[in-house]
Amino acid sequence: MSDTVGSKGGSGPTDDSPVEIKSASTGTPRALRQKILELVSEYVAASKADEGPFVAGRSLVRYAGRVFDDREVTNLVNASLDFWLTEGRYAAMLESALARFVGVEFARLVNSGSSANLAAFSALTSPKLGERRVSAGDEIITVAAGFPTTVAPIIQHGAVPVFIDVDPRTANVDVTQLEAAWSERTRAVMLAHTLGNPFDVDAVLEFCARHELWLIEDNCDALGSTYTTRRGGEPTTKFTGSFGDLSTSSFYPAHHITTGEGGAVYTNDESLDAIVASFRDWGRDCYCKSGKDNTCGLRFEHQMGQLPFGYDHKYTYSHFGYNLKMTDLQAAIGLAQVEKLPDFGADRRRNHAYLRAGLADFAHVFDVVEATPHSDPSWFGFLMTVREDAPFSRSEIVNFLEGEKIQTRVLFAGNLTRHPCFDELRERQSGYRIVGDLRNTDQLMDRAFWVGVYSGMTVEHLDYIIEQIADCCHKFGVV
Ligand SMILES: Cc1ncc(COP(=O)(O)O)c(C=O)c1O
């Protein structure tokens, strides 16, 4: 079952009338819970059977959407019957399952991918990191072709993003420009794996090792993508999100798995993990789980800051933090989703390959992004750049496809430095640096677009996309 991003679901009530609550039944809570969950399962099956077939030209071909069955909904209802609401048993299970899947020691749930990036970057500013901490004015190398909240935390902390161009073949960082971007103030590299396509991990890791830089992988669009590293001897294939000092996920419905809103921060480093948790949880020093007191056994025996001895550790703050936590209701949905990640990834890879083969005749009209060498992307979307000599513009083909009920998206911000949020910084000529001319970033901003490859798509959807793109090309005289 799949549905649009952020829309009212196909399994919602069919009218606005309130659900009538019948008189109380008898039975143990356990038996009643079982009965409720069976009914929920039945409801999901019935609402799924009620969904109409795809009708080309009438049904919307979505760029992404949540894909779920009765397991997500029964988990959600089960969690709602617990009525724990904040982080609880499902959150603990999901954190373990995510860490296991990505292949790292620690995963911390947060309430969005943007929050994950914020918590991950904030962690690097912790005084606990001593000389390696990122301070205001320090430089962070990144790209402008992507999502704004990969970069926003850098600016929010008073650090300086240094933008380099992308390689148009992969839509990822052009690693040949890394050295030119380095300065005495460079402290970290923070990059996304663009639309599921891993960046050149080995080149970035080598650069970071040479200059002792932190690496944050924004893995929000790439959960399940792999990269085969050749560093350290034998080629080793690992999931993206396991290479950096920190990495992040988003679980917004367009992403590989969903919890509605949601995200996670990953690391192999126990102290970074504790710092992430502190920033996520109000900046506190205490690490008790929700509902627990005195896990350290020293709750009233610490001497910290200029506080009186024994000041309650639960209310002692080592960072200026946030509250970015996920609820257990969301985590319950995620737990059912995470089991499906291998299948979702297989679907995305298959759908991408199908579109690529189906559009092969138009290689002289569109440049389709290529998988980075040594990678196997779990694609987020099918990204195409309309060639400069094509007989139509990006906006002409996008308008055509949208008119035929095929959703399209651009590469998020395109060139982030051209957005209104940069106006003030641009005028002041401070707060960021650009190395080179971002020519390829501008090309993506001007001429690239993408269509969906997510698991909710069938061969009918994909054939319809291919047919409509071909129609558009023929309409403009492409042979
Ligand atoms: C690369 C990247 N990073 C971060 C985010 C932010 O995720 P969220 O929407 O969950 O805040 C997105 C959103 O799509 C993204 O594509």
Side-chain angles (χ1 to χ4, degrees):
M1 174 181 281
S2 72
D3 198 13
T4 188
V5 174
S7 82
K8 195 171 171 186
S11 48
T14 49
D15 60 38
D16 289 335
S17 52
V19 176
E20 197 187 328
I21 299 172
K22 296 268 166 55
S23 60
S25 346
T26 52
T28 63
R30 193 186 166 88
L32 284 170
R33 187 185 281 245
Q34 187 56 34
K35 206 156 132 190
I36 290 165
L37 297 181
E38 278 164 18
L39 257 180
V40 167
S41 235
E42 208 179 302
Y43 172 79
V44 175
S47 67
K48 189 174 169 134
D50 216 25
E51 281 177 359
F54 170 70
V55 182
R58 293 244 303 276
S59 315
L60 189 61
V61 180
R62 304 178 196 288
Y63 81 96
R66 56 209 163 95
V67 178
F68 65 100
D69 58 29
D70 61 327
R71 280 171 287 179
E72 282 78 1
V73 190
T74 48
N75 268 15
L76 174 62
V77 173
N78 211 4
S80 75
L81 294 174
D82 290 353
F83 210 65
W84 183 253
L85 304 181
T86 57
E87 268 202 326
R89 63 184 179 118
Y90 281 107
M93 287 189 279
L94 181 55
E95 283 180 342
S96 303
L98 286 167
R100 224 174 15 253
F101 180 86
V102 172
V104 294
E105 288 286 318
F106 308 102
R108 294 279 179 175
L109 294 174
V110 290
N111 56 12
S112 73
S114 302
S115 297
N117 284 343
L118 178 61
F121 188 80
S122 299
L124 299 186
T125 69
S126 170
K128 291 181 188 246
L129 298 177
E131 282 187 356
R132 289 207 65 200
R133 114 187 244 203
V134 174
S135 301
D138 284 342
E139 295 189 345
I140 314 298
I141 298 174
T142 187
V143 298
F147 202 78
T149 56
T150 312
V151 174
I154 302 172
I155 292 172
Q156 286 154 350
H157 277 280
V160 177
V162 176
F163 295 103
I164 56 177
D165 209 356
V166 291
D167 180 335
R169 289 168 302 181
T170 62
N172 270 304
V173 60
D174 176 356
V175 292
T176 64
Q177 297 194 8
L178 285 168
E179 255 341 304
W182 184 85
S183 83
E184 289 290 336
R185 300 245 21 199
T186 310
R187 293 288 174 273
V189 174
M190 185 160 179
L191 292 167
H193 298 291
T194 306
L195 285 189
N197 194 20
F199 54 72
D200 183 342
V201 173
D202 276 356
V204 172
L205 284 176
E206 219 157 277
F207 173 74
C208 288
R210 192 162 52 249
H211 294 291
E212 272 195 80
L213 307 176
W214 300 105
L215 172 62
I216 300 181
E217 287 176 84
D218 177 338
N219 200 37
C220 286
D221 296 346
L223 187 57
S225 294
T226 63
Y227 179 85
T228 303
T229 178
R230 269 129 180 100
R231 281 168 57 82
E234 284 298 293
T236 312
T237 301
K238 299 200 308 176
F239 284 113
T240 54
S242 65
F243 293 100
D245 298 288
L246 291 150
S247 70
T248 60
S249 281
S250 164
F251 306 136
Y252 186 72
H255 293 252
H256 291 65
I257 59 169
T258 190
T259 58
E261 303 291 351
V265 183
Y266 307 82
T267 184
N268 277 315
D269 183 318
E270 195 171 1
S271 50
L272 281 179
D273 176 60
I275 297 170
V276 166
S278 170
F279 273 102
R280 182 193 63 174
D281 303 351
W282 309 283
R284 68 182 181 159
D285 202 74
C286 162
Y287 47 86
C288 285
K289 295 237 178 280
S290 176
K292 291 264 183 298
D293 291 338
N294 207 11
T295 309
C296 64
L298 299 166
R299 180 173 166 195
F300 299 108
E301 290 169 52
H302 288 284
Q303 176 72 71
M304 301 192 82
Q306 298 191 348
L307 290 165
F309 176 79
Y311 192 78
D312 192 345
H313 192 220
K314 264 185 114 51
Y315 293 95
T316 300
Y317 302 95
S318 39
H319 300 105
F320 296 105
Y322 313 95
N323 178 356
L324 308 174
K325 292 196 295 297
M326 182 187 271
T327 69
D328 221 38
L329 303 178
Q330 293 165 290
I333 301 167
L335 194 64
Q337 288 265 291
V338 80
E339 286 173 15
K340 299 175 183 173
L341 254 174
D343 288 343
F344 287 165
D347 293 344
R348 285 174 177 273
R349 289 175 168 97
R350 190 197 56 226
N351 292 346
H352 194 278
Y354 193 93
L355 284 178
R356 186 178 257 284
L359 293 168
D361 286 348
F362 302 103
H364 57 306
V365 184
F366 305 106
D367 290 322
V368 175
V369 103
E370 292 164 19
T372 296
H374 315 304
S375 80
D376 182 13
S378 180
W379 295 98
F380 194 74
F382 188 84
L383 182 68
M384 293 169 274
T385 304
V386 179
R387 290 175 69 122
E388 215 155 8
D389 54 359
F392 49 80
S393 65
R394 192 259 312 274
S395 89
E396 280 170 318
I397 184 156
V398 158
N399 275 312
F400 180 91
L401 295 176
E402 295 276 349
E404 300 301 332
K405 300 197 79 80
I406 296 170
Q407 281 190 324
T408 63
R409 289 293 182 269
V410 288
L411 185 52
F412 308 126
N415 179 343
L416 184 61
T417 67
R418 296 194 182 278
H419 284 254
C421 57
F422 266 82
D423 284 352
E424 220 184 310
L425 302 184
R426 210 178 304 112
E427 263 166 42
R428 282 208 320 260
Q429 295 193 329
S430 69
Y432 71 107
R433 261 199 318 123
I434 293 178
V435 174
D437 56 11
L438 305 190
R439 183 182 313 167
N440 299 326
T441 301
D442 281 337
Q443 298 282 356
L444 289 172
M445 175 184 68
D446 290 337
R447 296 197 272 105
F449 73 99
W450 56 278
V451 293
V453 294
Y454 76 110
S455 291
M457 298 179 84
T458 62
V459 169
E460 287 78 41
H461 294 116
L462 300 170
D463 282 340
Y464 181 65
I465 292 175
I466 294 166
E467 184 191 299
Q468 290 308 310
I469 289 177
D471 267 12
C472 179
C473 289
H474 295 145
K475 192 172 143 241
F476 280 92
V478 173
V479 286

